[in-house]
Amino acid sequence: MNKSTGLDLVFSSYESLGPRKYVLIIFIFLVYSVATLANICIMLVIYLESSLHKPMYIFLFNLMCSGLLGSSAVWPKVLSNLLTDWHTSSYEGCLLQVYLASIYAACTYSTLTVMAYDRYVSICNPLQYHIIMNPCKIKIWLMLSNLVPVFSIAGQVYLTSRIPLCSRTLNKLFCDNLSIINISCSTSLSFLSNVYGLLIIVCLSVLPTCLILLSYVKILSVSLKVSKNGQNKALGTCLPHLIIFINFSIATVFSLIYNRFTVLISSEMNVFMSVQITLLPPLLHPVIYGVRTKEIRKCTVKITQRLCASTICFYTSILKVPKIFAIS
């Protein structure tokens, strides 16, 4: 197929689901809906509460944005395919899904790296924290953590789009870059795309992982020299970030296995790995930070009480009978 544009790609993984797809529809819908609402609620709390306008929560806001981008790029389309008998996607739509899902993964790693650096400065250089993490530098970190993945992934997707396809069938629930390359005709462009993809993995996944681990080694070495109370404070500050980092790293490993051995794995494992990659990590962001972070919990309660009080006052004013209509 020398001309790939205008083609419809077929997802073969849906065929073997049978009646189990109805359970999967309910599960995906519930988890996706809860994750979306929880992320939006925490983002609104961070936006509305001025006491949360700190580097850690600004980076958390960015992390949740990337999580919503990744899950929304994948699961509405998966639900649509599950609810209909047409398990297809246009080639252009598939490339767009690859682009958005890849940005989600890359931006998550870059944001987690910046958050690890923020925790490192907070614990290891507390007296210089506000000098190092000033508003100007926060803007620079945010721009770099978003723009570098956006332009890097754009190059990857462009190379993939130039490769002619030799098949239209993907053994997946949704599109990913390696699956498209696997059904493409072998050309010098496919080799170049593979090399470029490997470079992106090293720069946007392996390198950030090393920097995060280095930050925690430094934090651990400093924490061992302070009191037990100081160690508990450091652990409480770093634990939510550490849980999310470990979970996302495990999801990334699953993703690599999933992409390399899709043909060899069962349909059940196919579904499990798909869920682990883009559905569960965005759900954990608000759950872990909402439960583990005292400031977010307090601000959430405060805003909820304020909204409840405003609502009660509003309805009280509506239900109150005006004096001009009162019977004398």
Side-chain angles (χ1 to χ4, degrees), residues 63-84:
L63 184 69
M64 290 182 172
C65 285
S66 63
L68 285 176
L69 175 68
S71 57
S72 298
V74 170
W75 296 110
K77 179 60 178 174
V78 171
L79 283 172
S80 173
N81 286 338
L82 286 168
L83 289 167
T84 63

Side-chain angles (χ1 to χ4, degrees), residues 156 159 177 181 190-204 260:
Q156 172 74 76
L159 287 174
N177 190 68
I181 292 174
S190 60
F191 173 75
L192 180 62
S193 181
N194 270 320
V195 172
Y196 188 84
L198 185 62
L199 185 64
I200 283 181
I201 290 172
V202 171
C203 293
L204 300 182
R260 294 290 174 183

Side-chain angles (χ1 to χ4, degrees), residues 7 13 19 48 69 82 96 104 141 195 199 212 214 224-225 241 246 260 295 297 299:
L7 289 174
S13 293
L48 294 171
L69 175 68
L82 286 168
L96 179 62
Y104 150 69
W141 284 122
V195 172
L199 185 64
I212 292 169
L214 180 63
L224 291 174
K225 299 174 184 177
H241 175 269
I246 292 171
R260 294 290 174 183
E295 282 186 271
R297 286 204 311 271
C299 291

Side-chain angles (χ1 to χ4, degrees), residues 118-193:
D118 174 72
R119 294 301 84 206
Y120 162 74
V121 175
S122 174
I123 293 169
C124 299
N125 294 295
L127 298 178
Q128 296 183 339
Y129 178 77
H130 293 290
I131 298 173
I132 297 172
M133 301 302 293
N134 59 62
C136 181
K137 286 187 179 177
I138 291 170
K139 290 175 185 176
I140 292 171
W141 284 122
L142 283 173
M143 286 179 62
L144 288 174
S145 64
N146 288 301
L147 293 180
V148 170
V150 164
F151 288 109
S152 301
I153 301 298
Q156 172 74 76
V157 174
Y158 173 76
L159 287 174
T160 302
S161 69
R162 307 305 298 170
I163 304 172
L165 300 181
C166 289
S167 173
R168 293 195 308 160
T169 305
L170 296 173
N171 186 32
K172 292 291 183 74
L173 291 179
F174 55 87
C175 300
D176 65 74
N177 190 68
L178 189 59
S179 294
I180 296 175
I181 292 174
N182 286 341
I183 63 170
S184 65
C185 305
S186 182
T187 62
S188 57
L189 266 178
S190 60
F191 173 75
L192 180 62
S193 181

Side-chain angles (χ1 to χ4, degrees), residues 14 55 82 85 93 113 166 180 184 220 224 234 247 258 276 282 289 291 301 305 323:
Y14 293 91
L82 286 168
D85 293 328
T113 306
C166 289
I180 296 175
S184 65
L220 183 62
L224 291 174
N247 173 74
Y258 174 65
Q276 177 65 19
Y289 272 94
V291 171
V301 171
Q305 289 174 342
K323 288 185 179 181

Side-chain angles (χ1 to χ4, degrees), residues 243-244 247 279-289:
I243 293 171
I244 287 176
N247 173 74
L279 188 63
L280 294 182
L283 176 63
L284 289 178
H285 299 164
V287 170
I288 291 172
Y289 272 94

Side-chain angles (χ1 to χ4, degrees), residues 44-72:
L44 282 173
V45 169
I46 293 172
Y47 177 77
L48 294 171
E49 191 57 47
S50 58
S51 63
L52 295 179
H53 295 175
K54 300 174 183 176
M56 182 174 74
Y57 300 113
I58 293 171
F59 297 141
L60 175 61
F61 189 97
N62 193 64
L63 184 69
M64 290 182 172
C65 285
S66 63
L68 285 176
L69 175 68
S71 57
S72 298

Side-chain angles (χ1 to χ4, degrees), residues 79-124:
L79 283 172
S80 173
N81 286 338
L82 286 168
L83 289 167
T84 63
D85 293 328
W86 299 98
H87 309 142
T88 61
S89 172
S90 67
Y91 183 63
E92 293 79 9
C94 198
L95 288 174
L96 179 62
Q97 191 175 70
V98 169
Y99 182 59
L100 296 177
S102 300
I103 287 176
Y104 150 69
C107 283
T108 298
Y109 263 118
S110 60
T111 305
L112 286 172
T113 306
V114 175
M115 292 174 79
Y117 177 70
D118 174 72
R119 294 301 84 206
Y120 162 74
V121 175
S122 174
I123 293 169
C124 299

